[in-house]
Every structure is written in C-alpha cells, then in structure tokens.
Amino acid sequence: MQSDPIVLAFDTSAAHCAAALLCGGTIIAERREEMARGQAERIMVLLEDILQEQSTAWGDLSAIGVGIGPGNFTGIRISVSAARGLALGLGIPAIGVNRFDIIAATTPEQGYPCVPAPQDKFYVQRHGAEAKMLTRDQADTLSHPLVFETKDLNPAITIAQIAAARFGVDQPRPAPLYIKAADAAPPRDAPPLIVP
C-alpha cells in the first residue's frame, strides 16, 4: 500500500465541473467552474489542464476519486463513466464518494447531511442509514437539523481527501447514487417497424 497516493478527483453531480489534485496529502491544484450544461465536453479538458499545470502525467496517478451523487442524473453519469474509464485505462482504482460524506466531512454542525432535490424536496441520510427523499414537511419532523453543503465549496477537494483515506482498502467500483429513478417518461410513439 502506498502511503501518499496521488489522487485526481472530480465531480459533475451539480451545476459545476470541479476537479482537484492531491499529492503527499496536500491539495496542489483545484478548480471549480460553474456550468449548467457542457460538463461532458469540459471534464477531460479540465483534468488535463490541472495535470499539465502541476507537471503531473496520467501515469503518475495512484487513484481516481469521483463524486457519485446524489445530484443531477446526467452529471453523475458523466463523472462516474469518466472515472471508470480512466481507472480501467490507467490500471488504478476509482473510488466513489457520495455527497453525504462530503457534507459530513466539511460541515461542523451536527445533523443529517442533506442535498436539495427537485420540487422542494430533500435527499437526506440519517446517521449512515440509506438515504431517502423527503418533503419539506417530513424533513421538519426529524430529530436533528438538516445540514447542507457549504456554498462555493469545491467538492473535488474533499473527494480527493476521502479517496486518499480510502486508498488501499478494497472499494466497489464507483456507481451512481440515485435516490429515485430518473424523471424519464416512456416514449409515446410506437417503435419503428423493422423490415426483414
């Protein structure tokens, strides 16, 4: 087991493209770009820029850290796909980190880590239990307050730190953390007729 892994971490689970490079236990580069769309086109360019700025090659990396959600359905898939592809190509582990762990690691308040969900609802994780989507009324009845992600935080920094702490310990491949199914309706049109 390597004591000081070099971890490239990134996240596109919200309206941003975020990345960080950790080396020797220290964040040596980080960037967060706000964007509602275009993360798929931007993420690899952003990662390459960070590596080049620090004169680090892809082959120098020990692990990939990636945000697995909850959050934007497509954004999560972008990050997880990129992480798994990079890990496979580089022969290094990809370590998934959920937003509840990021909130717990960066927020001094005690309470339930919470991520805003659509339609004035919340994704809430209660003390390591499975996360659930709650309405505002349901959230108001909880025994502890909701704790939200710190504004303007670059989540990739915390992802890199958590991934480094988990490095060397068997981890499952990163998979999207979906609390609910995608809001996709089945097609209304009949499928095309395939002529033999």
Side-chain angles (χ1 to χ4, degrees):
M1 180 170 83
Q2 184 177 339
S3 59
D4 288 324
I6 299 173
V7 178
L8 180 63
F10 51 93
D11 179 69
T12 58
S13 64
H16 60 244
C17 205
L21 182 63
L22 178 139
C23 182
T26 302
I27 298 295
I28 60 171
E30 61 94 9
R31 202 174 299 153
R32 174 183 169 150
E33 299 176 3
E34 297 300 318
M35 55 179 38
R37 294 174 172 252
Q39 291 96 332
E41 293 80 12
R42 182 67 183 134
I43 188 64
M44 294 307 294
V45 175
L46 179 63
L47 298 178
E48 182 68 30
D49 288 349
I50 283 180
L51 291 175
Q52 283 184 357
E53 288 168 11
Q54 298 303 314
S55 300
T56 303
W58 289 99
D60 296 335
L61 300 176
S62 309
I64 300 291
V66 64
I68 61 170
N72 177 284
F73 185 82
T74 302
I76 296 168
R77 291 173 60 195
I78 291 166
S79 283
V80 171
S81 299
R84 288 174 64 165
L86 286 169
L88 182 63
L90 297 169
I92 59 176
I95 301 167
V97 178
N98 69 54
R99 285 176 77 185
F100 301 116
D101 289 345
I102 296 168
I103 293 167
T106 58
T107 311
E109 295 91 21
Q110 295 296 314
Y112 297 131
C114 177
V115 176
Q119 301 172 349
D120 201 29
K121 295 181 181 176
F122 305 97
Y123 301 126
V124 179
Q125 185 177 44
R126 293 185 255 183
H127 301 302
E130 187 175 311
K132 297 191 180 211
M133 184 162 51
L134 302 176
T135 64
R136 184 170 293 281
D137 290 341
Q138 291 169 322
D140 288 343
T141 66
L142 296 174
S143 58
H144 296 297
L146 300 180
V147 179
F148 293 88
E149 203 166 2
T150 305
K151 291 273 189 219
D152 301 324
L153 168 81
N154 180 345
I157 293 171
T158 309
I159 292 167
Q161 293 164 337
I162 293 172
R166 293 178 182 171
F167 181 71
V169 178
D170 277 343
Q171 298 286 318
R173 290 188 312 175
L177 176 60
Y178 299 135
I179 309 301
K180 67 179 195 77
D183 294 332
R188 295 182 191 166
D189 300 330
L193 177 63
I194 299 175
V195 179

